[in-house]
Structure formats: C-alpha cells, structure tokens
Amino acid sequence: MRINNFLMNRRSMRDYRNKSVELDVLDRIKDILKELENEFEEGTFGFKLYENGQLIYNGLEGLAGYSGVMVESPHYIALNLKENDEKTVIYSAYYMEKLVTKLIELDLATCWISVYDVDKNLRKDLFGEWTNEINFILAFGYPRRNHPFSKEPFSERISIEEMVYDNEIGQHITLEYLEQRGLADTFYYLRFAPSIKNLQPWRFIVTNDKVHLLIKCDEDDNPSLVDAGIVMYYFEALQELQGTKNKWSLLDGEFVEGGIKYKYIAEYQL
Ligand SMILES: Cc1cc2nc3c(=O)[nH]c(=O)nc-3n(C[C@H](O)[C@H](O)[C@H](O)COP(=O)(O)O)c2cc1C
C-alpha cells in the first residue's frame, strides 16, 4: 500500500484476538528486527520479540500504558537503547515506526506502549538482562474484527495551518503556497502520524530551500524526541512518493515563543 493511504488508515489497536501469530510469521518478524537494527549505526539500539505476551502483560498490568492501562496482546516487541542520547532516541523511534509499517504489511495490528513510568528494576526483571533502557514496547497481533456497523475509532488531528509555518513559528502559510512548493500532500498525510497521547507536537517551518522540524515542548519544557523520530520517518517516505529522496539532518537549538518552548530537531533540504 502507498505510504499516504497507509498513514490515513493507520490506527493504534488496543483489542486483539486471543490468537498467537503463526511461527513462520514470527520467524519473518525476527528477520525484520535484525534488518532494521542493522540499517542504523550498529549496536545503538535493539529490538527483542517476546513471544509469550501473557508474561509481559501480567508483569505490566496496572503499571504501563496511559494511567496504567496496559494493552493486552499475544506478543510484544521491546525497544532497548544502549545510550539515551538524543540521536539514539530519535532514530530508534524512526525504526520502531518503520517496523510498525512492516507488521501492518503482514496483516497484523500494533500499538506503542509507554513503559517509562514502570520501575526500572521491574523492567529489567521482566525484559531480561539485555535491558539497558526500555521506555517503549510494541503490542502486536491480529485485531479483533470490528462490528461491521461500528465506527472506526479515530483520533483527531491538528490542521496543516497549526503545524506548518512560513519562515518562522506563528507566521501563517497558505495551502496554495505549499502546493506550489510540492509539500501540500506530504503535510496533509503527515498529520496522521501517531504521537504520545496524540499530542502531535511536531511543528514545521518552510523556508526557501529547507523544511525545519521543531518539537513543541510539554508543560515541563521537555520535547518528545520519540514523536520527532516517528514523524521524520513518515516525512521522508511521503517525500519519496513525490520523487524527493533526501534525508533529515539533525540540528541543535531551542527558542521560546509566546511562552512555549520549541526544540529544533532537524532540517530537510528541498
Ligand atoms: C511513542 C508513543 C507512545 C504511545 N504510548 C501509548 C500507551 O502507552 N498506551 C496507549 O494506549 N497508546 C499509546 N500510544 C498510541 C497513541 O495514543 C496514538 O498513536 C494516538 O492517540 C493517535 O491515535 P492512532 O494511532 O489511532 O492514530 C502511543 C503512541 C506513541 C507514538
């Protein structure tokens, strides 16, 4: 499926069938995990598949997920970081979301689960000795079929105008201008990227020759670098669909505008 249609239809699944994924499919997934780990600087992060999801669910019930609401699935994949530096956090999320696209291609459904609030020792006990820094895991399995007349759950998205600015934050950009620049479709679909608590903290500044990605910090002035990595993956994929094959380059810097802190994440050459 083309990445634009994929994004529009992508949903987090929180209701799985009580059915294990076939062994040959799990083997294929293990190969995918290795491939993705090796696509980035080797050894900076790793994935591990937990086939016995029940064990993980029992260990995290009441503790992981939003307000301790753990999502139950037949299997989980943990994302382990060797270092907790910005580049590793951003790119490990980039590849975790690439993994999501591969699992959905296998007709599976997924949901990111936040485990950063779970006691560190418990995480080590549960995920094993290889654990260094596990803040997110992925639930996956076969989705429970929706009732044919039930409405698909849909999480609201911000508008392009709330997300994309002309030369500086706050400066309105018109859709006509984005169309002229060949960016209207990319930003239209990009809004469907997933984010923690659906906060959609991504902001973009379009200049003459570049797009800058910034993250709007939360009330504690922290930027969600994971959300940055996810949106960077989709931006590159959507631009590729338009025939542009560039990659993001990471940037440093931050500024405050209207009492809100923004962190510069990366720039993309148009
Ligand atoms: C990094 C990350 C962490 C998330 N953590 C959780 C979680 O702990 N529990 C949960 O139910 N959903 C979690 N989600 C799913 C988001 O809430 C979801 O992507 C967002 O609300 C948009 O909905 P959609 O994915 O269905 O489009 C997470 C998503 C991301 C990207």
Side-chain angles (χ1 to χ4, degrees):
M1 193 191 289
R2 283 156 67 97
I3 197 79
N4 50 3
N5 291 326
F6 171 88
L7 250 176
M8 272 199 52
N9 293 306
R10 183 201 178 290
R11 300 274 187 282
S12 297
M13 175 52 60
R14 299 184 178 88
D15 191 12
Y16 293 88
R17 282 170 67 191
N18 185 13
K19 175 185 185 310
S20 295
V21 172
E22 298 75 6
L23 286 178
D24 60 323
V25 180
L26 289 177
D27 282 343
R28 172 74 197 111
I29 292 171
K30 284 180 205 157
D31 290 342
I32 292 172
L33 298 183
K34 283 214 187 74
E35 282 160 28
L36 291 177
E37 278 171 9
N38 293 334
E39 270 187 42
F40 193 61
E41 295 158 15
E42 243 185 285
T44 48
F45 64 86
F47 297 112
K48 191 164 170 179
L49 170 64
Y50 292 84
E51 295 185 27
N52 184 351
Q54 195 68 51
L55 221 60
I56 301 293
Y57 177 75
N58 291 345
L60 294 177
E61 196 185 0
L63 302 171
Y66 301 149
S67 317
V69 181
M70 177 61 187
V71 173
E72 185 168 13
S73 65
H75 316 288
Y76 297 90
I77 291 167
L79 170 61
N80 184 35
L81 310 190
K82 197 165 166 210
E83 302 291 339
N84 210 3
D85 61 290
E86 288 186 1
K87 186 176 175 189
T88 306
V89 175
I90 290 172
Y91 279 100
S92 62
Y94 177 111
Y95 284 101
M96 181 89 138
E97 187 61 27
K98 188 166 182 183
L99 168 63
V100 168
T101 64
K102 306 238 172 238
L103 294 179
I104 294 177
E105 273 170 22
L106 294 172
D107 290 329
L108 296 162
T110 67
C111 187
W112 282 74
I113 314 283
S114 313
V115 298
Y116 46 76
D117 283 339
V118 177
D119 177 76
K120 265 206 154 179
N121 290 326
L122 178 77
R123 276 185 265 169
K124 250 203 157 77
D125 284 350
L126 204 58
F127 294 110
E129 264 317 301
W130 77 302
T131 304
N132 193 41
E133 185 80 34
I134 295 185
N135 293 318
F136 297 97
I137 62 173
L138 200 64
F140 76 95
Y142 292 109
R144 221 179 267 287
R145 202 160 292 156
N146 282 324
H147 187 278
F149 300 112
S150 73
K151 258 187 116 193
E152 289 267 315
F154 173 73
S155 305
E156 290 300 325
R157 293 302 198 269
I158 55 176
S159 64
I160 294 182
E161 289 88 345
E162 288 171 273
M163 183 175 84
V164 189
Y165 296 95
D166 192 1
N167 277 305
E168 59 184 85
I169 284 284
Q171 195 146 303
H172 182 69
I173 202 156
T174 63
L175 284 182
E176 291 75 22
Y177 178 68
L178 287 175
E179 253 155 40
Q180 279 168 25
R181 301 292 308 269
L183 288 166
D185 278 1
T186 292
F187 285 124
Y188 175 79
Y189 291 108
L190 202 58
R191 297 173 309 131
F192 297 97
S195 57
I196 299 182
K197 297 180 182 152
N198 201 28
L199 287 175
Q200 308 164 64
W202 342 280
R203 298 294 177 267
F204 297 89
I205 295 178
V206 179
T207 66
N208 251 345
D209 56 347
K210 284 182 186 139
V211 173
H212 287 96
L213 166 63
L214 302 93
I215 289 287
K216 183 181 168 191
C217 296
D218 63 16
E219 60 266 23
D220 299 322
D221 279 351
N222 292 319
S224 172
L225 301 177
V226 178
D227 291 333
I230 294 172
V231 93
M232 282 163 65
Y233 168 69
Y234 283 123
F235 186 95
E236 285 179 4
L238 286 163
Q239 281 293 98
E240 206 173 320
L241 205 61
Q242 312 274 328
T244 311
K245 269 197 163 180
N246 289 345
K247 297 272 178 205
W248 288 100
S249 311
L250 295 187
L251 280 181
D252 235 356
E254 54 188 43
F255 68 92
V256 176
E257 170 76 42
I260 297 169
K261 192 163 128 187
Y262 294 86
K263 175 166 172 48
Y264 272 105
I265 301 290
E267 63 178 24
Y268 181 99
Q269 189 79 37
L270 290 172

